[in-house]
Amino acid sequence: MSTNEHAAPVLELTDLSVSFSTRQGLIRAVDGLSLSVGRGEVHGIVGESGSGKSVAMYSLLGLTRDANASITGSVRFEGREILGSGDKAMQPIRGGEIGMIFQDPMTALTPVYTVGWQIVEQIRQHTDLTKAQAKARAIELLGEVGIPDAKRRVDSYPHEFSGGMRQRVVIAMAMSCNPKLLIADEPTTALDVTTQAQILDLMSRLRDVHNSSIVIITHDMGVIAEMADRVTVMYAGRPIEAGPELDVVRHPRHPYTWGLLGAVPRIGERSERLATIAGNVMSPLDVPVGCAFAPRCAYVMDECAARPPWSDGDHRSACWLSDTQRVALRRKES
Ligand code: SF4
């Protein structure tokens, strides 16, 4: 893992909030997310479905088009404020300076065009390359992401590739304009375990070669441990723990992060049932005013009726437990 802590951040979110007015009430899909991604850094955003991680990324790209959405805060990309920029201003950024990898490669690829045609279109939209030059680049990219016989496969259709190979094509497309930032939304969820490992390895390698920054959105702490330099954990739209990956994974502070880490299966450990986090994923209409995790937290106290503030430092969390209580609880559980 490589970080460049001294360079200006490539992406900086400050107090990003996204809410939707619905007939049932106001849904705060993202509530006060702040994070900073340095050059060449991998920032993992982790949480279960509905935690707001994908909505945050789609909103920063201007892809949240719901007329009832309200988006506030600040999103600075390469030092420029981009939140609220119109489609015209975002067009060269989306797919050019910021590449995107989606969970399901079939939704990112159009089934009726060859993969080569789609990569060439992407390249030509953002560069001055001729069709022939763009095709040569597409073949080069497919080779780079491990598609064998790229010269021939460039003329194949998406359905002619396996799921893992399709995701490689999507990565080639996302990398086609040498993006400064790659946003990967659950890039390995639809893949088998072996292919998952290959795709994560490929993304790490591409990051090293191109020095692109990566935001990886996942529900899987295993992916975070494998890829991320820094982590933000989200629950019910709120960031609840953030810091360097090693600190968050080795010394988690928030009970929800304890649950996420406890749910990662360990090789060689046999157990009757997979560990889960007690309770159900919260309805976005029922998020408590105080700690959002309170209805599922085994350690809830009177203080938790008020929203916990962030602690200080590089590794921060939002929980009312004191350090002494935390250490005692963890000791008791291990
Ligand atoms: Fe649990 Fe309270 Fe901490 Fe929330 S603030 S995680 S309810 S102990």
Side-chain angles (χ1 to χ4, degrees), residues 3-317:
T3 51
N4 189 346
E5 287 169 13
H6 304 295
V10 172
L11 179 71
E12 203 166 16
L13 309 187
T14 310
D15 204 18
L16 179 70
S17 295
V18 184
S19 49
F20 299 91
S21 315
T22 69
R23 277 197 204 150
Q24 290 77 28
L26 191 71
I27 291 177
R28 290 187 200 283
V30 182
D31 191 353
L33 176 63
S34 298
L35 59 86
S36 172
V37 186
R39 200 163 303 281
E41 189 173 77
V42 179
H43 195 110
I45 304 184
V46 66
E48 24 184 50
S49 302
S51 61
K53 51 199 193 308
S54 298
V55 177
M57 291 304 117
Y58 284 65
S59 300
L60 79 85
L61 289 166
L63 294 172
T64 302
R65 300 183 189 281
D66 193 314
N68 297 313
S70 159
I71 306 172
T72 59
S74 163
V75 175
R76 295 185 80 77
F77 173 65
E78 291 277 272
R80 287 169 280 157
E81 178 62 52
I82 60 167
L83 192 66
S85 304
D87 267 347
K88 200 164 167 218
M90 287 303 290
Q91 200 265 338
I93 297 176
R94 283 195 297 252
E97 292 180 84
I98 303 180
M100 288 164 283
I101 302 170
F102 297 101
Q103 178 176 339
D104 180 1
M106 267 324 254
T107 55
L109 295 168
T110 311
V112 293
Y113 293 111
T114 65
V115 298
W117 187 92
Q118 296 180 59
I119 299 173
V120 166
E121 278 303 294
Q122 172 95 352
I123 294 172
R124 295 200 72 210
Q125 224 174 45
H126 296 283
T127 69
D128 295 329
L129 294 188
T130 63
K131 228 174 190 173
Q133 287 168 329
K135 183 148 184 191
R137 175 83 182 119
I139 294 168
E140 196 179 283
L141 281 160
L142 289 176
E144 205 177 320
V145 298
I147 303 280
D149 198 6
K151 211 168 173 181
R152 186 175 63 79
R153 298 308 304 271
V154 75
D155 293 319
S156 302
Y157 288 87
H159 72 268
E160 297 177 85
F161 291 87
S162 66
M165 285 292 164
R166 275 199 289 267
Q167 196 57 305
R168 285 173 191 265
V169 171
V170 171
I171 292 173
M173 201 146 90
M175 296 302 296
S176 62
C177 301
N178 293 325
K180 294 178 180 123
L181 174 68
L182 206 54
I183 295 180
D185 186 2
E186 303 270 11
T188 56
T189 302
L191 306 173
D192 64 73
V193 180
T194 313
T195 316
Q196 272 182 21
Q198 290 168 350
I199 293 292
L200 293 180
D201 185 52
L202 170 64
M203 286 175 57
S204 295
R205 202 157 37 80
L206 291 174
R207 185 275 298 264
D208 292 344
V209 172
H210 298 277
N211 201 27
S212 297
S213 310
I214 300 177
V215 173
I216 186 161
I217 299 168
T218 180
H219 61 273
D220 185 344
M221 271 308 220
V223 171
I224 293 292
E226 176 80 30
M227 285 276 303
D229 299 308
R230 295 189 70 84
V231 191
T232 298
V233 184
M234 291 186 72
Y235 185 78
R238 301 178 189 171
I240 50 100
E241 180 158 359
E245 176 268 333
L246 277 181
D247 290 349
V248 174
V249 169
R250 291 197 190 157
H251 308 288
R253 296 173 58 87
H254 196 284
Y256 175 62
T257 317
W258 299 349
L260 278 181
L261 283 161
V264 177
R266 282 173 189 79
I267 293 172
E269 228 174 60
R270 288 188 71 123
S271 133
E272 294 288 304
R273 307 188 64 173
L274 279 175
T276 54
I277 300 174
N280 294 320
V281 177
M282 175 155 310
S283 158
L285 289 161
D286 293 333
V287 179
V289 180
C291 175
F293 190 57
R296 298 172 74 183
C297 182
Y299 317 109
V300 64
M301 324 170 268
D302 289 346
E303 293 94 311
C304 308
R307 187 164 169 170
W310 274 109
S311 58
D312 292 329
D314 196 28
H315 178 193
R316 303 178 302 150
S317 63

